[in-house]
Amino acid sequence: MHQYFVMLKDNARAITNTKVIVGVAMFCALEVILDMFNIYLAPTLRITFGFLATAASCYFYGPYPNMIAGLIMDFIGYAMHPDGPYFPGYALNAILLAFIFSSFFYEQPVKVWRVLVARLLVVLINYLFLNSLWMSIMYGDSFFVLVGARLLKNVIMFPIDCTMLYLLLRRLVVITLIRKSRARLRIEGRGSPGAWS
């Protein structure tokens, strides 16, 4: 637990790091692009890919930069596709998504149970509870009816989303190892006796 709070403290400094800002911005742009390629299995059942960009950004850059990015992306998303009056509740969803993914993936080994628990928390908190609550507040529909309508969809999509998420994170681990290996080789090359010959 102590290490977790140390990580949060260290990650807070990343907000002012130019490389982090640029990296998070690139993943935000990727999220917008991926959201354009949803696969509809039924009128109310679709495979989405935008959350994968969020997960990748959280894996590399941690909670604070991505929570701020989630807030900004909520405003941008509404500006691009306004649908009625702006509702700030969905900004909370974006912040929570970044916090949950970062808590399980940032500077953590990729494990199946981490993917399952992280995705389950997102489904329970964001999709079933908060989304249903926001819809109930905005349109006056019954909260429990909305939860019931979303339940089957999320049960069907859960293994699909978890599989995509796990495969992505495993790939990111390989990419990270390659980058570290190349950086180490460059450092060793500069320090070797023949580096300047």
Side-chain angles (χ1 to χ4, degrees), residues 119-172:
R119 193 60 189 171
L120 181 62
L121 287 175
V122 170
V123 168
L124 293 177
I125 297 173
N126 277 20
Y127 298 164
L128 294 182
F129 179 70
L130 288 179
N131 279 356
S132 300
L133 179 62
W134 306 149
M135 294 289 288
S136 178
I137 292 172
M138 294 173 67
Y139 301 109
D141 298 327
S142 169
F143 171 79
F144 293 103
V145 170
L146 291 169
V147 170
R150 294 173 180 273
L151 185 60
L152 178 60
K153 169 192 170 183
N154 282 282
V155 168
I156 294 172
M157 292 305 304
F158 185 76
I160 298 174
D161 290 342
C162 286
T163 300
M164 291 193 297
L165 190 54
Y166 180 75
L167 293 176
L168 170 70
L169 292 171
R170 292 301 302 173
R171 183 61 181 170
L172 294 180

Side-chain angles (χ1 to χ4, degrees), residues 1-129:
M1 184 62 70
H2 174 69
Q3 291 180 341
Y4 178 76
F5 287 108
V6 170
M7 178 274 290
L8 289 179
K9 183 179 178 181
D10 291 340
N11 186 246
R13 302 190 187 100
I15 297 173
T16 57
N17 186 306
T18 304
K19 289 184 179 180
V20 172
I21 294 172
V22 172
V24 172
M26 289 179 61
F27 279 113
C28 286
L30 179 60
E31 180 184 352
V32 172
I33 295 171
L34 290 176
D35 278 335
M36 298 169 62
F37 296 97
N38 297 329
I39 299 174
Y40 285 84
L41 304 178
T44 58
L45 185 62
R46 62 179 181 171
I47 299 176
T48 60
F49 303 101
F51 75 95
L52 296 174
T54 303
S57 186
C58 291
Y59 173 85
F60 284 118
Y61 302 114
Y64 288 113
N66 283 290
M67 287 191 290
I68 294 173
L71 179 63
I72 295 172
M73 285 298 294
D74 182 69
F75 289 119
I76 294 175
Y78 177 77
M80 293 176 62
H81 305 286
D83 185 16
Y86 176 75
F87 187 77
Y90 292 104
L92 176 61
N93 286 35
I95 292 171
L96 284 174
L97 177 65
F99 179 76
I100 291 171
F101 278 170
S102 296
S103 296
F104 283 89
F105 304 146
Y106 180 61
E107 296 186 351
Q108 301 291 337
V110 176
K111 303 289 185 181
V112 172
W113 73 266
R114 290 185 184 278
V115 173
L116 294 175
V117 174
R119 193 60 189 171
L120 181 62
L121 287 175
V122 170
V123 168
L124 293 177
I125 297 173
N126 277 20
Y127 298 164
L128 294 182
F129 179 70

